[in-house]
Amino acid sequence: MKDTKYIFVTGGVTSSLGKGIISASLGRLLLARGYKVTIQKLDPYINVDPGTLNPYEHGECYVTEDGHEADLDLGHYERFLNIETHRANNITTGRIYQSVINKERRGDYLGKTVQIIPHITDEIKRSIKLLGSKEKYDFVITEIGGTVGDIESLPYIESVRQLRWELGKNCLCIHLTYVPYIAAAKELKTKPTQHSVKALQEEGVQPDILVLRTEHPITPDIRKKVALFCNVEADAVIESIDLPTIYLVPVKMQQEKLDQIVLRKMGLPFEGKSDLKDWNNFLKKMQNATETVKIGLVGKYVSLQDAYKSITESLIHASAYNNRKLDLKLISSDDISPDNIVQTLEGLQGIIIAPGFGNRGIEGKITAIQYARENNIPCLGICMGMQCMVIEYARNVIGYKDANSTEIDPNTKHNVVDLMEEQKGILNLGGSMRLGAYKCKIDKNSLAYKVYNAETIKERHRHRFEFNNDYKEKFIKAGLKCSGINPDSKLVEIIELPNKKFFLGTQFHPEYSSTVLNPHPLFVSFIKTVIE
Ligand code: GLN
């Protein structure tokens, strides 16, 4: 294709309508037609990145290969599109302002008053177009975070308005809104949609396509009415009804002809074939599974389903490929004690020990690990989960009763998990962890090797503390295997217990790289062991 096409996805009425899923689904459909697609998220908050946000505020923090702490929607993009995203795929207002202010200090705007228009909007437009120019993409899909009408999203909508003029036919706007059902009146209501489109129009942007999120079918009359009030063609009003799984959304959007309408409006052939074979194969496996696999996820943010998004999705992928339905129990590590551990883990076939920071819920994780180890329940520890496995082994097998991580107890005599050398002296908390993909060399005689079937792997990290190599010999003598080591820094990346069915911890986060078409081998093997 000659020119890169830019598609913007905005949202109205309320947040949490699934803009990320709609954007990713459209991306999947365009890929299925053979186009080169990338996708980005613009977040209107002032944080430079979401790395310092509490998961309760903003859900999981996702990490890209190049070590960017990103919005969790990038996880959806990678899982749906099977592509790698990078720092450039997630921009925040904080990043935009930081860049403009740096330029101002350098003297790049010498003599000029620096203003939201044009300087901030120019920087936003530059960030959007940067993606298109880097590699030759046919489509750049840009999701604008927040809700139209918010003060903080104004510069983004203004940038879209300007880009429409600059790009002409190569630019298209999709607006996602909500059509509530009033149970007492037994009626779907379009007024919030009308208001939201009006707000967008007031900011100078006319949407080309409307996607209506709804719990009940949208009738042809409603489509016509929305089209009439919002200056949109009736066939460009699309229903997005609640579905049992997000992975059905691309199929639903295909039925609604979202991809065809986009292509037609952008002057491209839209009748050609679309190949969703592999995607449908995954869906079939997921939907045909009758038996369930019962897994417990032990963590401290269990009241928010988005806090462990990538782990949940990885488990869904792995279960489907093992022909199982996932039955996931979220267990608050705060509530676990030696007195209730038997009831808490009763009936679970395997447990995952979640990543985390700080000391809340740590002892509960350690109790769960001890129970899993002693009863040979398959157990996978991720990052802090792996560190807790190390602490548990040191306390209960080696006999260092006070063993701990210096993150939890800075004065422990047995600091089996300790701050990494490179982290000492770092004062800034933003973007300063060991982040992104690092190599790991795997011992050929290990479970890890069986899982990966490779000697060298690359996985993504997000941590400051590490297995303390001063204790390595002690652990090895006591039967714990350090089966994955970083070849450069010698950091221990994988630990395991050879005489168990599956007892393995990773310093890295395998969950960030499981996709629908490439489920992560660690999760697939974990589920496979669990059901065997
Ligand atoms: N808090 C631990 C560390 O910084 C683990 C981090 C995590 O689980 N992502 O090393």
Side-chain angles (χ1 to χ4, degrees), residues 3-8 40 125-126 128-130 132-133 136 138 140 142 159-173 265-266:
D3 302 319
T4 301
K5 311 265 182 199
Y6 291 84
I7 300 172
F8 294 94
Q40 69 181 166
K125 290 192 291 181
R126 194 184 67 81
I128 293 167
K129 291 206 269 189
L130 194 68
S133 62
K136 195 74 186 117
D138 298 320
V140 175
T142 303
S159 303
V160 174
R161 185 193 69 75
Q162 294 176 21
L163 279 172
R164 287 201 78 130
W165 276 99
E166 289 168 33
L167 295 164
K169 243 198 158 8
N170 292 331
C171 177
L172 183 124
C173 297
K265 285 191 176 286
M266 300 197 99

PDB file of all heavy atoms in Angstrom, residues 3-8 40 125-126 128-130 132-133 136 138 140 142 159-173 265-266:
ATOM      1  N   ASP A   3       0.288   4.672   0.974  1.00  0.00           N
ATOM      2  CA  ASP A   3       0.320   5.504   2.187  1.00  0.00           C
ATOM      3  C   ASP A   3      -0.131   4.718   3.405  1.00  0.00           C
ATOM      4  O   ASP A   3      -1.001   3.866   3.300  1.00  0.00           O
ATOM      5  CB  ASP A   3      -0.659   6.691   2.034  1.00  0.00           C
ATOM      6  CG  ASP A   3      -0.322   7.520   0.823  1.00  0.00           C
ATOM      7  OD1 ASP A   3       0.879   7.749   0.588  1.00  0.00           O
ATOM      8  OD2 ASP A   3      -1.263   7.912   0.109  1.00  0.00           O
ATOM      9  N   THR A   4       0.460   5.061   4.538  1.00  0.00           N
ATOM     10  CA  THR A   4      -0.026   4.484   5.790  1.00  0.00           C
ATOM     11  C   THR A   4      -1.373   5.126   6.126  1.00  0.00           C
ATOM     12  O   THR A   4      -1.552   6.335   5.973  1.00  0.00           O
ATOM     13  CB  THR A   4       0.989   4.778   6.908  1.00  0.00           C
ATOM     14  OG1 THR A   4       2.236   4.215   6.517  1.00  0.00           O
ATOM     15  CG2 THR A   4       0.548   4.165   8.215  1.00  0.00           C
ATOM     16  N   LYS A   5      -2.304   4.279   6.564  1.00  0.00           N
ATOM     17  CA  LYS A   5      -3.637   4.781   6.939  1.00  0.00           C
ATOM     18  C   LYS A   5      -3.722   4.864   8.464  1.00  0.00           C
ATOM     19  O   LYS A   5      -3.226   3.966   9.156  1.00  0.00           O
ATOM     20  CB  LYS A   5      -4.729   3.834   6.440  1.00  0.00           C
ATOM     21  CG  LYS A   5      -4.582   3.430   4.981  1.00  0.00           C
ATOM     22  CD  LYS A   5      -5.409   4.314   4.098  1.00  0.00           C
ATOM     23  CE  LYS A   5      -5.310   3.898   2.646  1.00  0.00           C
ATOM     24  NZ  LYS A   5      -5.714   4.963   1.735  1.00  0.00           N
ATOM     25  N   TYR A   6      -4.347   5.903   8.952  1.00  0.00           N
ATOM     26  CA  TYR A   6      -4.445   6.110  10.402  1.00  0.00           C
ATOM     27  C   TYR A   6      -5.901   5.987  10.866  1.00  0.00           C
ATOM     28  O   TYR A   6      -6.787   6.668  10.344  1.00  0.00           O
ATOM     29  CB  TYR A   6      -3.898   7.487  10.774  1.00  0.00           C
ATOM     30  CG  TYR A   6      -2.396   7.556  10.577  1.00  0.00           C
ATOM     31  CD1 TYR A   6      -1.851   7.832   9.321  1.00  0.00           C
ATOM     32  CD2 TYR A   6      -1.523   7.297  11.623  1.00  0.00           C
ATOM     33  CE1 TYR A   6      -0.474   7.859   9.122  1.00  0.00           C
ATOM     34  CE2 TYR A   6      -0.149   7.313  11.443  1.00  0.00           C
ATOM     35  CZ  TYR A   6       0.369   7.599  10.190  1.00  0.00           C
ATOM     36  OH  TYR A   6       1.724   7.615   9.994  1.00  0.00           O
ATOM     37  N   ILE A   7      -6.116   5.098  11.821  1.00  0.00           N
ATOM     38  CA  ILE A   7      -7.465   4.904  12.361  1.00  0.00           C
ATOM     39  C   ILE A   7      -7.452   5.296  13.828  1.00  0.00           C
ATOM     40  O   ILE A   7      -6.596   4.831  14.598  1.00  0.00           O
ATOM     41  CB  ILE A   7      -7.898   3.429  12.236  1.00  0.00           C
ATOM     42  CG1 ILE A   7      -7.910   3.008  10.759  1.00  0.00           C
ATOM     43  CG2 ILE A   7      -9.275   3.205  12.867  1.00  0.00           C
ATOM     44  CD1 ILE A   7      -8.149   1.522  10.550  1.00  0.00           C
ATOM     45  N   PHE A   8      -8.375   6.173  14.211  1.00  0.00           N
ATOM     46  CA  PHE A   8      -8.453   6.596  15.611  1.00  0.00           C
ATOM     47  C   PHE A   8      -9.684   5.997  16.268  1.00  0.00           C
ATOM     48  O   PHE A   8     -10.759   5.950  15.658  1.00  0.00           O
ATOM     49  CB  PHE A   8      -8.499   8.125  15.694  1.00  0.00           C
ATOM     50  CG  PHE A   8      -7.214   8.734  15.207  1.00  0.00           C
ATOM     51  CD1 PHE A   8      -7.078   9.155  13.893  1.00  0.00           C
ATOM     52  CD2 PHE A   8      -6.123   8.819  16.050  1.00  0.00           C
ATOM     53  CE1 PHE A   8      -5.879   9.667  13.427  1.00  0.00           C
ATOM     54  CE2 PHE A   8      -4.911   9.329  15.597  1.00  0.00           C
ATOM     55  CZ  PHE A   8      -4.788   9.753  14.282  1.00  0.00           C
ATOM     56  N   GLN A  40      -1.416   1.613  18.816  1.00  0.00           N
ATOM     57  CA  GLN A  40      -0.851   2.346  19.947  1.00  0.00           C
ATOM     58  C   GLN A  40      -1.942   2.887  20.858  1.00  0.00           C
ATOM     59  O   GLN A  40      -3.100   2.998  20.460  1.00  0.00           O
ATOM     60  CB  GLN A  40       0.054   3.484  19.457  1.00  0.00           C
ATOM     61  CG  GLN A  40      -0.702   4.602  18.780  1.00  0.00           C
ATOM     62  CD  GLN A  40       0.192   5.733  18.276  1.00  0.00           C
ATOM     63  OE1 GLN A  40      -0.245   6.559  17.504  1.00  0.00           O
ATOM     64  NE2 GLN A  40       1.435   5.769  18.697  1.00  0.00           N
ATOM     65  N   LYS A 125       0.990  14.655  17.507  1.00  0.00           N
ATOM     66  CA  LYS A 125       0.913  14.197  16.109  1.00  0.00           C
ATOM     67  C   LYS A 125       2.210  13.525  15.686  1.00  0.00           C
ATOM     68  O   LYS A 125       2.212  12.524  14.977  1.00  0.00           O
ATOM     69  CB  LYS A 125       0.600  15.386  15.175  1.00  0.00           C
ATOM     70  CG  LYS A 125      -0.823  15.907  15.341  1.00  0.00           C
ATOM     71  CD  LYS A 125      -1.209  16.855  14.229  1.00  0.00           C
ATOM     72  CE  LYS A 125      -0.441  18.159  14.336  1.00  0.00           C
ATOM     73  NZ  LYS A 125      -0.807  19.113  13.280  1.00  0.00           N
ATOM     74  N   ARG A 126       3.335  14.084  16.176  1.00  0.00           N
ATOM     75  CA  ARG A 126       4.634  13.488  15.845  1.00  0.00           C
ATOM     76  C   ARG A 126       4.698  12.056  16.396  1.00  0.00           C
ATOM     77  O   ARG A 126       5.119  11.132  15.707  1.00  0.00           O
ATOM     78  CB  ARG A 126       5.748  14.337  16.458  1.00  0.00           C
ATOM     79  CG  ARG A 126       7.144  14.031  15.926  1.00  0.00           C
ATOM     80  CD  ARG A 126       8.207  14.847  16.654  1.00  0.00           C
ATOM     81  NE  ARG A 126       8.334  14.452  18.065  1.00  0.00           N
ATOM     82  CZ  ARG A 126       9.021  13.406  18.490  1.00  0.00           C
ATOM     83  NH1 ARG A 126       9.655  12.654  17.616  1.00  0.00           N
ATOM     84  NH2 ARG A 126       9.077  13.098  19.774  1.00  0.00           N
ATOM     85  N   ILE A 128       2.232  10.048  17.017  1.00  0.00           N
ATOM     86  CA  ILE A 128       1.323   9.168  16.277  1.00  0.00           C
ATOM     87  C   ILE A 128       1.964   8.755  14.952  1.00  0.00           C
ATOM     88  O   ILE A 128       2.007   7.586  14.594  1.00  0.00           O
ATOM     89  CB  ILE A 128      -0.036   9.880  16.018  1.00  0.00           C
ATOM     90  CG1 ILE A 128      -0.779  10.106  17.345  1.00  0.00           C
ATOM     91  CG2 ILE A 128      -0.901   9.090  15.033  1.00  0.00           C
ATOM     92  CD1 ILE A 128      -1.964  11.049  17.258  1.00  0.00           C
ATOM     93  N   LYS A 129       2.525   9.754  14.246  1.00  0.00           N
ATOM     94  CA  LYS A 129       3.044   9.473  12.901  1.00  0.00           C
ATOM     95  C   LYS A 129       4.373   8.728  12.925  1.00  0.00           C
ATOM     96  O   LYS A 129       4.714   8.037  11.971  1.00  0.00           O
ATOM     97  CB  LYS A 129       3.153  10.777  12.102  1.00  0.00           C
ATOM     98  CG  LYS A 129       1.758  11.334  11.775  1.00  0.00           C
ATOM     99  CD  LYS A 129       1.749  12.182  10.540  1.00  0.00           C
ATOM    100  CE  LYS A 129       1.990  13.617  10.889  1.00  0.00           C
ATOM    101  NZ  LYS A 129       1.809  14.566   9.827  1.00  0.00           N
ATOM    102  N   LEU A 130       5.091   8.873  14.041  1.00  0.00           N
ATOM    103  CA  LEU A 130       6.372   8.190  14.204  1.00  0.00           C
ATOM    104  C   LEU A 130       6.220   6.690  13.979  1.00  0.00           C
ATOM    105  O   LEU A 130       7.030   6.045  13.322  1.00  0.00           O
ATOM    106  CB  LEU A 130       6.874   8.438  15.628  1.00  0.00           C
ATOM    107  CG  LEU A 130       8.317   8.102  15.944  1.00  0.00           C
ATOM    108  CD1 LEU A 130       9.224   9.076  15.197  1.00  0.00           C
ATOM    109  CD2 LEU A 130       8.579   8.226  17.445  1.00  0.00           C
ATOM    110  N   GLY A 132       3.979   5.138  12.188  1.00  0.00           N
ATOM    111  CA  GLY A 132       3.711   4.835  10.776  1.00  0.00           C
ATOM    112  C   GLY A 132       4.975   4.927   9.942  1.00  0.00           C
ATOM    113  O   GLY A 132       5.164   4.181   8.984  1.00  0.00           O
ATOM    114  N   SER A 133       5.868   5.840  10.307  1.00  0.00           N
ATOM    115  CA  SER A 133       7.036   6.065   9.456  1.00  0.00           C
ATOM    116  C   SER A 133       8.177   5.100   9.766  1.00  0.00           C
ATOM    117  O   SER A 133       9.034   4.856   8.939  1.00  0.00           O
ATOM    118  CB  SER A 133       7.516   7.509   9.617  1.00  0.00           C
ATOM    119  OG  SER A 133       7.907   7.709  10.963  1.00  0.00           O
ATOM    120  N   LYS A 136       7.260   0.299   7.473  1.00  0.00           N
ATOM    121  CA  LYS A 136       6.142   0.675   6.615  1.00  0.00           C
ATOM    122  C   LYS A 136       4.885  -0.115   6.998  1.00  0.00           C
ATOM    123  O   LYS A 136       4.704  -1.249   6.583  1.00  0.00           O
ATOM    124  CB  LYS A 136       6.543   0.457   5.146  1.00  0.00           C
ATOM    125  CG  LYS A 136       5.621   1.131   4.182  1.00  0.00           C
ATOM    126  CD  LYS A 136       5.820   2.656   4.129  1.00  0.00           C
ATOM    127  CE  LYS A 136       4.757   3.274   3.232  1.00  0.00           C
ATOM    128  NZ  LYS A 136       3.837   4.181   3.866  1.00  0.00           N
ATOM    129  N   ASP A 138       0.774  -0.571   6.922  1.00  0.00           N
ATOM    130  CA  ASP A 138      -0.385  -0.165   6.135  1.00  0.00           C
ATOM    131  C   ASP A 138      -1.355   0.604   7.032  1.00  0.00           C
ATOM    132  O   ASP A 138      -1.978   1.569   6.613  1.00  0.00           O
ATOM    133  CB  ASP A 138      -1.084  -1.402   5.555  1.00  0.00           C
ATOM    134  CG  ASP A 138      -0.179  -2.179   4.610  1.00  0.00           C
ATOM    135  OD1 ASP A 138       0.538  -1.517   3.838  1.00  0.00           O
ATOM    136  OD2 ASP A 138      -0.168  -3.429   4.672  1.00  0.00           O
ATOM    137  N   VAL A 140      -2.014   2.223  11.074  1.00  0.00           N
ATOM    138  CA  VAL A 140      -1.676   2.522  12.462  1.00  0.00           C
ATOM    139  C   VAL A 140      -3.005   2.792  13.169  1.00  0.00           C
ATOM    140  O   VAL A 140      -3.724   3.724  12.815  1.00  0.00           O
ATOM    141  CB  VAL A 140      -0.761   3.766  12.581  1.00  0.00           C
ATOM    142  CG1 VAL A 140      -0.535   4.118  14.054  1.00  0.00           C
ATOM    143  CG2 VAL A 140       0.564   3.529  11.875  1.00  0.00           C
ATOM    144  N   THR A 142      -4.833   3.947  16.468  1.00  0.00           N
ATOM    145  CA  THR A 142      -4.508   4.716  17.676  1.00  0.00           C
ATOM    146  C   THR A 142      -5.720   4.796  18.582  1.00  0.00           C
ATOM    147  O   THR A 142      -6.754   5.360  18.198  1.00  0.00           O
ATOM    148  CB  THR A 142      -4.039   6.138  17.299  1.00  0.00           C
ATOM    149  OG1 THR A 142      -2.924   6.024  16.409  1.00  0.00           O
ATOM    150  CG2 THR A 142      -3.622   6.922  18.538  1.00  0.00           C
ATOM    151  N   SER A 159      -5.726  17.020  18.241  1.00  0.00           N
ATOM    152  CA  SER A 159      -4.707  16.483  17.327  1.00  0.00           C
ATOM    153  C   SER A 159      -5.357  15.624  16.242  1.00  0.00           C
ATOM    154  O   SER A 159      -4.950  15.667  15.076  1.00  0.00           O
ATOM    155  CB  SER A 159      -3.679  15.638  18.083  1.00  0.00           C
ATOM    156  OG  SER A 159      -3.078  16.404  19.094  1.00  0.00           O
ATOM    157  N   VAL A 160      -6.371  14.855  16.639  1.00  0.00           N
ATOM    158  CA  VAL A 160      -7.090  14.044  15.653  1.00  0.00           C
ATOM    159  C   VAL A 160      -7.772  14.968  14.639  1.00  0.00           C
ATOM    160  O   VAL A 160      -7.738  14.729  13.431  1.00  0.00           O
ATOM    161  CB  VAL A 160      -8.132  13.125  16.342  1.00  0.00           C
ATOM    162  CG1 VAL A 160      -8.980  12.390  15.308  1.00  0.00           C
ATOM    163  CG2 VAL A 160      -7.446  12.125  17.268  1.00  0.00           C
ATOM    164  N   ARG A 161      -8.366  16.050  15.145  1.00  0.00           N
ATOM    165  CA  ARG A 161      -9.028  17.002  14.239  1.00  0.00           C
ATOM    166  C   ARG A 161      -8.029  17.537  13.207  1.00  0.00           C
ATOM    167  O   ARG A 161      -8.304  17.570  12.015  1.00  0.00           O
ATOM    168  CB  ARG A 161      -9.624  18.163  15.053  1.00  0.00           C
ATOM    169  CG  ARG A 161     -10.443  19.155  14.216  1.00  0.00           C
ATOM    170  CD  ARG A 161     -10.754  20.439  14.958  1.00  0.00           C
ATOM    171  NE  ARG A 161      -9.571  21.266  15.190  1.00  0.00           N
ATOM    172  CZ  ARG A 161      -8.955  22.007  14.271  1.00  0.00           C
ATOM    173  NH1 ARG A 161      -9.432  22.050  13.032  1.00  0.00           N
ATOM    174  NH2 ARG A 161      -7.874  22.715  14.565  1.00  0.00           N
ATOM    175  N   GLN A 162      -6.849  17.922  13.690  1.00  0.00           N
ATOM    176  CA  GLN A 162      -5.838  18.458  12.767  1.00  0.00           C
ATOM    177  C   GLN A 162      -5.374  17.381  11.776  1.00  0.00           C
ATOM    178  O   GLN A 162      -5.197  17.648  10.590  1.00  0.00           O
ATOM    179  CB  GLN A 162      -4.634  18.972  13.555  1.00  0.00           C
ATOM    180  CG  GLN A 162      -4.963  20.176  14.421  1.00  0.00           C
ATOM    181  CD  GLN A 162      -3.756  20.609  15.261  1.00  0.00           C
ATOM    182  OE1 GLN A 162      -2.619  20.299  14.937  1.00  0.00           O
ATOM    183  NE2 GLN A 162      -4.016  21.333  16.338  1.00  0.00           N
ATOM    184  N   LEU A 163      -5.196  16.163  12.281  1.00  0.00           N
ATOM    185  CA  LEU A 163      -4.706  15.086  11.410  1.00  0.00           C
ATOM    186  C   LEU A 163      -5.708  14.743  10.316  1.00  0.00           C
ATOM    187  O   LEU A 163      -5.340  14.334   9.217  1.00  0.00           O
ATOM    188  CB  LEU A 163      -4.369  13.841  12.233  1.00  0.00           C
ATOM    189  CG  LEU A 163      -2.997  13.873  12.924  1.00  0.00           C
ATOM    190  CD1 LEU A 163      -2.850  12.692  13.870  1.00  0.00           C
ATOM    191  CD2 LEU A 163      -1.850  13.877  11.906  1.00  0.00           C
ATOM    192  N   ARG A 164      -7.001  14.889  10.631  1.00  0.00           N
ATOM    193  CA  ARG A 164      -8.008  14.620   9.594  1.00  0.00           C
ATOM    194  C   ARG A 164      -7.787  15.518   8.397  1.00  0.00           C
ATOM    195  O   ARG A 164      -7.932  15.105   7.251  1.00  0.00           O
ATOM    196  CB  ARG A 164      -9.417  14.861  10.143  1.00  0.00           C
ATOM    197  CG  ARG A 164      -9.877  13.811  11.095  1.00  0.00           C
ATOM    198  CD  ARG A 164     -11.383  13.840  11.155  1.00  0.00           C
ATOM    199  NE  ARG A 164     -11.908  13.185   9.983  1.00  0.00           N
ATOM    200  CZ  ARG A 164     -12.826  12.236  10.019  1.00  0.00           C
ATOM    201  NH1 ARG A 164     -13.335  11.858  11.164  1.00  0.00           N
ATOM    202  NH2 ARG A 164     -13.256  11.681   8.923  1.00  0.00           N
ATOM    203  N   TRP A 165      -7.445  16.781   8.676  1.00  0.00           N
ATOM    204  CA  TRP A 165      -7.177  17.716   7.580  1.00  0.00           C
ATOM    205  C   TRP A 165      -5.907  17.346   6.844  1.00  0.00           C
ATOM    206  O   TRP A 165      -5.844  17.378   5.624  1.00  0.00           O
ATOM    207  CB  TRP A 165      -7.063  19.152   8.132  1.00  0.00           C
ATOM    208  CG  TRP A 165      -8.421  19.753   8.270  1.00  0.00           C
ATOM    209  CD1 TRP A 165      -9.165  19.853   9.402  1.00  0.00           C
ATOM    210  CD2 TRP A 165      -9.214  20.295   7.221  1.00  0.00           C
ATOM    211  NE1 TRP A 165     -10.375  20.417   9.136  1.00  0.00           N
ATOM    212  CE2 TRP A 165     -10.440  20.709   7.809  1.00  0.00           C
ATOM    213  CE3 TRP A 165      -9.027  20.475   5.835  1.00  0.00           C
ATOM    214  CZ2 TRP A 165     -11.465  21.289   7.065  1.00  0.00           C
ATOM    215  CZ3 TRP A 165     -10.052  21.061   5.109  1.00  0.00           C
ATOM    216  CH2 TRP A 165     -11.256  21.454   5.716  1.00  0.00           C
ATOM    217  N   GLU A 166      -4.896  16.995   7.609  1.00  0.00           N
ATOM    218  CA  GLU A 166      -3.602  16.710   6.985  1.00  0.00           C
ATOM    219  C   GLU A 166      -3.622  15.404   6.186  1.00  0.00           C
ATOM    220  O   GLU A 166      -2.992  15.295   5.139  1.00  0.00           O
ATOM    221  CB  GLU A 166      -2.511  16.619   8.059  1.00  0.00           C
ATOM    222  CG  GLU A 166      -2.197  17.971   8.665  1.00  0.00           C
ATOM    223  CD  GLU A 166      -1.345  17.860   9.928  1.00  0.00           C
ATOM    224  OE1 GLU A 166      -0.518  16.930  10.007  1.00  0.00           O
ATOM    225  OE2 GLU A 166      -1.523  18.704  10.828  1.00  0.00           O
ATOM    226  N   LEU A 167      -4.346  14.422   6.700  1.00  0.00           N
ATOM    227  CA  LEU A 167      -4.261  13.083   6.097  1.00  0.00           C
ATOM    228  C   LEU A 167      -5.397  12.792   5.118  1.00  0.00           C
ATOM    229  O   LEU A 167      -5.318  11.843   4.336  1.00  0.00           O
ATOM    230  CB  LEU A 167      -4.268  12.006   7.192  1.00  0.00           C
ATOM    231  CG  LEU A 167      -3.067  12.000   8.145  1.00  0.00           C
ATOM    232  CD1 LEU A 167      -3.364  11.169   9.384  1.00  0.00           C
ATOM    233  CD2 LEU A 167      -1.834  11.462   7.438  1.00  0.00           C
ATOM    234  N   GLY A 168      -6.458  13.567   5.184  1.00  0.00           N
ATOM    235  CA  GLY A 168      -7.587  13.368   4.263  1.00  0.00           C
ATOM    236  C   GLY A 168      -8.163  11.970   4.339  1.00  0.00           C
ATOM    237  O   GLY A 168      -8.497  11.477   5.407  1.00  0.00           O
ATOM    238  N   LYS A 169      -8.198  11.290   3.191  1.00  0.00           N
ATOM    239  CA  LYS A 169      -8.805   9.964   3.120  1.00  0.00           C
ATOM    240  C   LYS A 169      -8.024   8.903   3.897  1.00  0.00           C
ATOM    241  O   LYS A 169      -8.519   7.804   4.140  1.00  0.00           O
ATOM    242  CB  LYS A 169      -8.910   9.539   1.647  1.00  0.00           C
ATOM    243  CG  LYS A 169     -10.357   9.340   1.209  1.00  0.00           C
ATOM    244  CD  LYS A 169     -10.442   8.522  -0.050  1.00  0.00           C
ATOM    245  CE  LYS A 169     -11.738   7.818  -0.336  1.00  0.00           C
ATOM    246  NZ  LYS A 169     -12.914   7.985   0.393  1.00  0.00           N
ATOM    247  N   ASN A 170      -6.803   9.229   4.258  1.00  0.00           N
ATOM    248  CA  ASN A 170      -5.983   8.255   4.995  1.00  0.00           C
ATOM    249  C   ASN A 170      -6.236   8.283   6.496  1.00  0.00           C
ATOM    250  O   ASN A 170      -5.446   7.747   7.274  1.00  0.00           O
ATOM    251  CB  ASN A 170      -4.495   8.496   4.729  1.00  0.00           C
ATOM    252  CG  ASN A 170      -4.138   8.165   3.300  1.00  0.00           C
ATOM    253  OD1 ASN A 170      -4.770   7.306   2.685  1.00  0.00           O
ATOM    254  ND2 ASN A 170      -3.154   8.855   2.759  1.00  0.00           N
ATOM    255  N   CYS A 171      -7.318   8.948   6.873  1.00  0.00           N
ATOM    256  CA  CYS A 171      -7.625   9.047   8.305  1.00  0.00           C
ATOM    257  C   CYS A 171      -9.085   8.680   8.538  1.00  0.00           C
ATOM    258  O   CYS A 171      -9.958   9.042   7.745  1.00  0.00           O
ATOM    259  CB  CYS A 171      -7.367  10.488   8.728  1.00  0.00           C
ATOM    260  SG  CYS A 171      -7.763  10.797  10.445  1.00  0.00           S
ATOM    261  N   LEU A 172      -9.332   7.938   9.606  1.00  0.00           N
ATOM    262  CA  LEU A 172     -10.700   7.508   9.893  1.00  0.00           C
ATOM    263  C   LEU A 172     -10.925   7.484  11.401  1.00  0.00           C
ATOM    264  O   LEU A 172     -10.013   7.145  12.154  1.00  0.00           O
ATOM    265  CB  LEU A 172     -10.885   6.105   9.306  1.00  0.00           C
ATOM    266  CG  LEU A 172     -12.268   5.483   9.427  1.00  0.00           C
ATOM    267  CD1 LEU A 172     -12.761   5.096   8.033  1.00  0.00           C
ATOM    268  CD2 LEU A 172     -12.243   4.234  10.292  1.00  0.00           C
ATOM    269  N   CYS A 173     -12.146   7.879  11.819  1.00  0.00           N
ATOM    270  CA  CYS A 173     -12.432   7.924  13.257  1.00  0.00           C
ATOM    271  C   CYS A 173     -13.562   6.975  13.624  1.00  0.00           C
ATOM    272  O   CYS A 173     -14.652   7.020  13.032  1.00  0.00           O
ATOM    273  CB  CYS A 173     -12.836   9.329  13.683  1.00  0.00           C
ATOM    274  SG  CYS A 173     -11.524  10.487  13.434  1.00  0.00           S
ATOM    275  N   LYS A 265     -14.483   2.793   3.418  1.00  0.00           N
ATOM    276  CA  LYS A 265     -14.398   4.229   3.684  1.00  0.00           C
ATOM    277  C   LYS A 265     -13.007   4.782   3.382  1.00  0.00           C
ATOM    278  O   LYS A 265     -12.841   5.971   3.165  1.00  0.00           O
ATOM    279  CB  LYS A 265     -14.770   4.520   5.139  1.00  0.00           C
ATOM    280  CG  LYS A 265     -16.278   4.417   5.378  1.00  0.00           C
ATOM    281  CD  LYS A 265     -16.668   4.957   6.721  1.00  0.00           C
ATOM    282  CE  LYS A 265     -18.172   4.932   6.914  1.00  0.00           C
ATOM    283  NZ  LYS A 265     -18.874   5.983   6.140  1.00  0.00           N
ATOM    284  N   MET A 266     -12.001   3.907   3.408  1.00  0.00           N
ATOM    285  CA  MET A 266     -10.641   4.380   3.130  1.00  0.00           C
ATOM    286  C   MET A 266     -10.252   4.117   1.680  1.00  0.00           C
ATOM    287  O   MET A 266      -9.084   4.253   1.308  1.00  0.00           O
ATOM    288  CB  MET A 266      -9.656   3.738   4.098  1.00  0.00           C
ATOM    289  CG  MET A 266      -9.987   4.085   5.541  1.00  0.00           C
ATOM    290  SD  MET A 266      -8.647   3.792   6.698  1.00  0.00           S
ATOM    291  CE  MET A 266      -7.961   5.441   6.879  1.00  0.00           C
TER     292      MET A 266
END
